[in-house]
């Protein structure tokens, strides 16, 4: 079975083909980072217009490179949410319409479930059940995963997501977008202990997160210092990264303990952070994560999630649906789950 995946939920046009037994056979990602750079964040209308121009040519290019035709596809998966509505609409309408014309199933994929499922391609594979930490630009959540489609949210961010905190703090430090990789890059020349920031909500019971105060703490520090030297900027970046990593580590340890589990799966853009990946090795248990290129948004995760869902049950109905907000707990359980 061959499934085409289309990701257009934010600022990446991601196209990939997943084939049973072969894995990802073709893939393309076009990043709009330069388009949005001058605005310091993603402008939904611009994102949408760019997806319109890129999606179909990228699908054709990916098929050509695999020596495949549209008629070789058995299903088309598209990101249905959560994400930016004008951007989601492009992949959803194109994917659903193509599937209809080809008389093959379309699969409306939940973006965060796709981030999670692609981590299951890790080698060795994590066995179910496990706890997952999903950390992206829009979401931070701890989820108990019993089976594909059976998710229980154990805790989530009450305000900014972890990736959002990286992006906003990078802006404060005069760094580029997306902020996570920029902060991680300059933090490598920082000295630990020069600055220190709070580990929000770790002294209270529970598994929720709150990162907006952390950004304000950095802002207060930056204001107090005035013009920053490169070394000060690096020291602040490292202290900030350390605070986020420490907070995520403490909550993951707590979640594993409270669920009586020993397996943790990390997924989403922030799971690309090397400091976070190293720190999680200290957990009493096994940690699994996708390869670096599969952590941030891509078409492969949508193709794979669509493939897994299609193997378990039928595709979605003929309605073109997008959901800007969509709880992972409300995904329809996969048929065989
Ligand atoms: O999953 P993703 O590609 O898109 C969303 O679904 O939001 O995540 C993007 C987020 C951005 O906030 C970006 O700054 C962050 O992931 N990110 C990182 C790193 N790479 C990407 N954060 C920290 N360290 C990184 N190496
Ligand atoms: Zn994402």
């Amino acid at each position: 079975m061959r499934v085409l995946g289309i990701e257009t939920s934010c600022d990446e046009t991601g196209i990939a083909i997943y084939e049973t037994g072969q894995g990802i056979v073709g893939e393309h990602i076009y990043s709009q980072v330069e388009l949005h750079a001058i605005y310091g964040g993603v402008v939904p209308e611009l994102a949408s217009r760019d997806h319109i121009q890129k999606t179909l040519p990228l699908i054709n290019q990916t098929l050509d490179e695999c020596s495949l035709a549209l008629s070789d596809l058995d299903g088309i998966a598209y990101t249905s949410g959560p994400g930016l509505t004008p951007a989601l609409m492009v992949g959803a309408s194109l994917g659903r319409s193509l599937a209809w014309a080809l008389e093959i199933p379309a699969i409306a994929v939940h973006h965060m479930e796709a981030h999670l499922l692609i981590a299951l391609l890790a080698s060795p594979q994590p066995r179910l059940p496990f706890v997952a930490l999903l950390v992206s630009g829009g979401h931070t959540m701890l989820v108990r995963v019993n089976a594909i489609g059976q998710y229980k949210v154990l805790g989530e961010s009450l305000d900014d997501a972890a990736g959002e905190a990286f992006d906003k703090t990078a802006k404060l430090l005069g760094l580029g977008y997306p902020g996570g990789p920029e902060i991680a890059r300059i933090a490598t020349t920082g000295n630990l202990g020069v600055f220190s920031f709070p580990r929000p909500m770790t002294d209270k019971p529970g598994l929720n997160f709150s990162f907006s105060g952390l950004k304000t703490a950095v802002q207060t520090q930056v204001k107090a210092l005035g013009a920053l030297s490169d070394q000060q900027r690096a020291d602040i970046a490292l202290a900030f990264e350390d605070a986020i990593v420490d907070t995520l580590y403490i909550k993951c340890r707590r979640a594993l303990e409270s669920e009586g589990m020993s397996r943790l799966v990390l997924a989403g853009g922030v799971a690309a952070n090397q400091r976070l990946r190293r720190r999680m090795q200290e957990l009493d248990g096994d940690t699994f994560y996708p390869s670096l290129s599969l952590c941030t948004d891509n078409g492969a995760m949508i193709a794979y999630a669509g493939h897994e869902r299609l193997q378990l049950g039928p595709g979605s109905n003929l309605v073109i649906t997008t959901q800007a907000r969509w709880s992972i707990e409300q995904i329809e359980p996969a048929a065989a789950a």
Side-chain angles (χ1 to χ4, degrees):
M1 183 190 285
R2 272 190 214 101
V3 176
L4 174 75
I6 307 174
E7 155 62 29
T8 64
S9 70
C10 192
D11 58 347
E12 258 105 23
T13 316
I15 304 296
I17 298 165
Y18 185 91
E19 188 174 334
T20 316
Q22 300 293 317
I24 303 298
V25 293
E27 183 180 18
H28 269 288
I29 301 179
Y30 176 80
S31 168
Q32 302 177 349
V33 161
E34 278 173 26
L35 178 70
H36 303 288
I38 53 164
Y39 304 101
V42 181
V43 183
E45 171 70 19
L46 293 183
S48 167
R49 284 192 222 169
D50 204 61
H51 286 310
I52 290 172
Q53 288 180 354
K54 300 292 179 342
T55 309
L56 205 47
L58 277 185
I59 292 175
N60 285 331
Q61 196 182 337
T62 308
L63 285 167
D64 282 352
E65 284 169 8
C66 302
S67 304
L68 293 171
L70 281 170
S71 56
D72 295 316
L73 299 174
D74 302 296
I76 299 185
Y78 61 87
T79 309
S80 177
L84 306 170
T85 298
L88 288 167
M89 279 308 292
V90 179
S93 46
L94 188 66
R96 177 66 269 183
S97 311
L98 257 183
W100 179 78
L102 295 167
E103 297 184 19
I104 56 176
I107 311 105
V109 169
H110 189 290
H111 184 85
M112 297 312 290
E113 182 183 46
H115 270 304
L116 168 65
L117 295 184
I118 200 74
L120 305 187
L121 289 183
S123 177
Q125 266 197 329
R127 261 187 309 114
L128 289 158
F130 54 76
V131 170
L133 172 69
L134 305 183
V135 266
S136 70
H139 296 84
T140 301
M141 38 179 166
L142 275 162
V143 183
R144 183 191 166 103
V145 180
N146 293 320
I148 295 183
Q150 285 182 28
Y151 309 120
K152 180 168 175 245
V153 176
L154 304 171
E156 58 193 327
S157 181
L158 304 177
D159 41 54
D160 293 353
E164 194 177 354
F166 268 104
D167 296 337
K168 288 179 174 171
T169 302
K171 208 170 176 180
L172 275 173
L173 294 176
L175 302 169
Y177 178 88
E182 291 290 297
I183 289 200
R185 181 177 57 79
I186 69 162
T188 56
T189 55
N191 297 308
L192 211 51
V194 179
F195 299 101
S196 175
F197 297 116
R199 276 66 173 143
M201 294 183 73
T202 50
D203 53 353
K204 289 193 198 135
L207 295 169
N208 284 333
F209 303 91
S210 166
F211 290 116
S212 72
L214 190 50
K215 171 201 63 199
T216 312
V218 176
Q219 190 170 30
T220 309
Q221 183 67 75
V222 168
K223 269 197 189 143
L225 289 168
L228 295 179
S229 67
D230 285 349
Q231 190 56 52
Q232 281 174 322
R233 199 172 275 124
D235 293 344
I236 292 174
L238 179 57
F240 168 81
E241 188 184 43
D242 195 51
I244 294 244
V245 166
D246 208 26
T247 305
L248 294 173
Y249 171 80
I250 291 168
K251 296 281 168 142
C252 285
R253 194 179 54 197
R254 201 178 282 177
L256 289 173
E257 276 167 16
S258 69
E259 294 301 305
M261 293 217 186
S262 60
R263 289 180 295 279
L264 178 79
V265 171
L266 291 190
V270 181
N273 186 277
Q274 295 294 347
R275 195 173 184 82
L276 180 67
R277 290 164 90 108
R278 274 198 308 274
R279 187 71 201 280
M280 292 299 180
Q281 301 298 340
E282 292 172 28
L283 284 170
D284 198 9
D286 297 319
T287 319
F288 303 82
Y289 20 64
S291 61
L292 283 180
S293 64
L294 291 177
C295 285
T296 44
D297 289 351
N298 60 81
M301 68 186 202
I302 306 304
Y304 180 62
H307 177 271
E308 294 305 282
R309 284 211 153 248
L310 208 48
Q311 295 239 313
L312 293 170
S316 330
N317 61 28
L318 277 174
V319 181
I320 296 175
T321 44
T322 59
Q323 301 188 59
R325 288 171 175 273
W326 185 8
S327 164
I328 198 166
E329 286 181 337
Q330 265 138 32
I331 309 180
E332 274 181 43

